[in-house]
Structures are given as structure tokens and as C-alpha cells.
């Protein structure tokens, strides 16, 4: 489904936030590397999707009322068989119902489990003065506690992407520390530029978050995605 239709459908349902499945689909169509996710409304559906994608997989709650899926008990990483998918589905539903009993639930998003990489965050938000602004940082405590992030105004030039990556204090982590693999900086630069082009081409996008992106020695992949559109 083209992005315009995905957005129209969300709006007609009174939603400004695209689901993870919708967000990843439109990003994938724009050539941005994501762990594609499929909707499964029952455990049986989830197993069918997992069988098709291949194990291990990740299951995540799909609800228009839940933004922080892990906090709601809504993420299971690594189910490695049909039985484990069935158990994970039941555990997610039980956890979410006890923590957010009023949330509307559409099922789960099923996706392949990606190998662990260095977690980074790429985002776009709109500044009242400057318009769309791209953000880059390392994941986890680096962004949440240390606010170690870099910003650039859209549209970005290649050197903006290069500089953003290098100006965060955590940059040495991306160069590889304590025997950890260095991150593929060229692929990260390419990803930042692609996202900048994507939001420039779609001014109806108000906010975009890839949190996290896994960066590897070779390549990068966004494993969570969230897009907010204007009304
Ligand atoms: P939320 O941010 O809403 O809590 P995420 O989709 O970011 O949920 O998932 C939580 C964590 O699970 C991620 O930070 C990541 O470490 C891990 N994760 C999510 N999707 C995948 C995936 N496809 N492969 C491997 N790990 C994943
Ligand atoms: Mg996330």
C-alpha cells in the first residue's frame, strides 16, 4: 500500500500515529532498512507468520494506545519455535491486560529477530522555528540519561550526517571499544541521509523515531519504528 493510502487510512480511523507495522512498511518502501513486521491477531496467526519468516522471531503488542511496548510487558525477543511463539503471545496478552486494561489490542507484530548490534537512535521532530530537524544518538542511557545527541536541520548534506555521528560524546563506542566490533559508519550516514530525504519528501510527517537501530560491522537495521503524521 502506498504511503498516501497508509496515512489516509490512519487518519480515517482517527489516528495520527502509524503502527509499527505501517511505519516499517512505508520506510521499507523508501529503501530504508527495517526489520519488517507483520500483523497477527491470534496466536495461530503469529505462528503462521513466524513459520514463514523463520525463527527466532520477536513479538510485540500492537495497540494504538501503547507507545512504550516494553514498559507494558508487550515485547518478547527470541521465541524460537511454534510453541514458544504461542507462549509468548499468551504472556504478552496477559501482561498488557494487567498493566493497561483499557488499551485496545489489535494483536501482535511478528518480525525476525535481528542479531544484536550497537544500538543507536535516529529521529526527526519539527521545530517551530527551524522546521524538520534530524536527531542522532546512541541508544539506552546515552540518550535517556546523558542526552548525548546531535541535531541538524533538514535537508541534510552528506557532511552533516558525517559530523552528527562524530560529534556525540559516545562516538568512541561506534569506533569499537573493548573488543566490540566497530559500527558501519558509512551505512549509518546513509541511513541518516535517507531518513532526511524521506521526511523532506513527506511534509505530512510530523515526527519519526527509529529507536533502536542496530549498527553492525557491515550494515544497519531499524528494529523499532514510529511515525506520527499531521491531521
Ligand atoms: P519499545 O521501544 O516500544 O519498548 P521496541 O520495539 O524498541 O519496543 O523493542 C524493545 C527492545 O527489543 C529493543 O530496544 C531491542 O533491543 C529489542 N528488539 C526489538 N525488535 C527487535 C528485533 N526485530 N530483533 C532483535 N531485537 C529487537
Ligand atoms: Mg523502541
Amino acid at each position: 500500500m502506498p504511503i498516501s493510502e497508509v496515512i489516509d487510512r490512519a487518519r480515517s480511523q482517527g489516528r495520527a500515529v502509524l503502527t509499527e507495522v505501517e511505519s516499517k512498511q512505508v520506510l521499507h518502501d523508501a529503501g530504508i532498512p527495517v526489520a519488517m513486521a507483520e500483523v497477527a491477531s491470534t496466536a495461530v496467526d503469529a505462528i503462521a507468520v513466524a513459520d514463514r519468516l523463520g525463527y527466532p522471531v520477536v513479538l510485540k503488542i500492537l495497540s494504538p494506545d501503547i507507545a512504550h511496548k516494553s514498559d507494558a510487558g508487550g515485547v518478547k525477543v527470541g521465541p524460537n519455535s511454534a510453541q514458544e511463539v504461542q507462549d509468548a503471545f499468551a504472556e504478552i496478552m496477559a501482561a498488557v491486560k494487567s498493566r493497561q486494561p483499557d488499551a485496545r489490542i489489535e494483536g501482535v507484530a511478528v518480525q525476525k529477530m535481528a542479531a544484536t548490534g550497537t544500538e543507536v537512535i535516529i529521529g526527526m521532530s519539527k521545530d517551530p522555528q527551524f522546521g524538520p530537524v534530524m536527531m542522532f544518538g546512541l541508544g539506552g542511557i546515552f540518550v535517556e540519561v546523558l542526552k548525548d545527541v546531535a541535531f541538524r536541520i533538514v535537508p541534510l548534506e552528506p557532511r552533516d550526517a558525517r559530523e552528527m555521528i562524530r560529534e556525540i560524546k559516545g562516538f568512541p563506542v561506534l569506533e569499537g571499544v573493548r573488543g566490540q566490533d566497530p559500527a558501519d559508519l558509512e551505512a549509518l550516514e546513509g541511513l541518516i541521509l535517507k531518513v532526511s530525504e524521506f521526511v523532506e519528501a513527506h511534509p505530512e510527517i510530523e515526527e519519526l523515531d527509529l529507536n533502536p537501530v542496530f549498527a553492525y560491522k557491515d550494515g544497519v537495521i531499524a528494529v523499532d519504528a514510529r511515525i506520527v503524521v499531521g491531521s
Side-chain angles (χ1 to χ4, degrees), residues 88-137:
F89 187 95
E91 284 165 29
I92 286 176
M93 293 304 158
V96 170
K97 274 176 194 145
S98 88
R99 290 186 212 182
Q100 283 192 230
D102 297 331
R104 289 165 290 171
I105 301 202
E106 282 162 13
V108 295
V110 183
Q111 56 206 263
K112 282 187 85 128
M113 181 181 155
T116 306
T118 305
E119 290 198 10
V120 306
I121 295 180
I122 292 171
M124 183 281 289
S125 56
K126 282 191 178 161
D127 179 272
Q129 199 176 346
F130 300 114
V133 174
M134 294 287 302
M135 186 266 268
F136 173 79

Side-chain angles (χ1 to χ4, degrees), residues 9 31 53 106 119 130 133 137 146 157 164 187 191 203 212:
R9 183 182 59 186
L53 293 177
E106 282 162 13
E119 290 198 10
F130 300 114
V133 174
L146 305 174
E157 309 248 337
M164 287 174 93
L191 177 56

Side-chain angles (χ1 to χ4, degrees), residues 102-180:
D102 297 331
R104 289 165 290 171
I105 301 202
E106 282 162 13
V108 295
V110 183
Q111 56 206 263
K112 282 187 85 128
M113 181 181 155
T116 306
T118 305
E119 290 198 10
V120 306
I121 295 180
I122 292 171
M124 183 281 289
S125 56
K126 282 191 178 161
D127 179 272
Q129 199 176 346
F130 300 114
V133 174
M134 294 287 302
M135 186 266 268
F136 173 79
L138 290 170
I141 61 159
F142 288 96
V143 62
E144 282 156 28
V145 183
L146 305 174
K147 314 278 184 228
D148 180 21
V149 290
F151 295 95
R152 284 294 183 287
I153 298 169
V154 173
L156 273 64
E157 309 248 337
R159 69 175 277 187
D160 293 315
R162 263 188 79 80
E163 287 173 2
M164 287 174 93
I165 291 172
R166 285 161 180 79
E167 77 187 32
I168 59 168
K169 294 190 198 72
F171 177 63
V173 173
L174 296 173
E175 290 182 293
V177 282
R178 300 208 183 136
Q180 238 190 299

Side-chain angles (χ1 to χ4, degrees), residues 69-70 211-212 224-225:
K69 301 174 290 288
S70 321
N211 181 8
D224 189 17

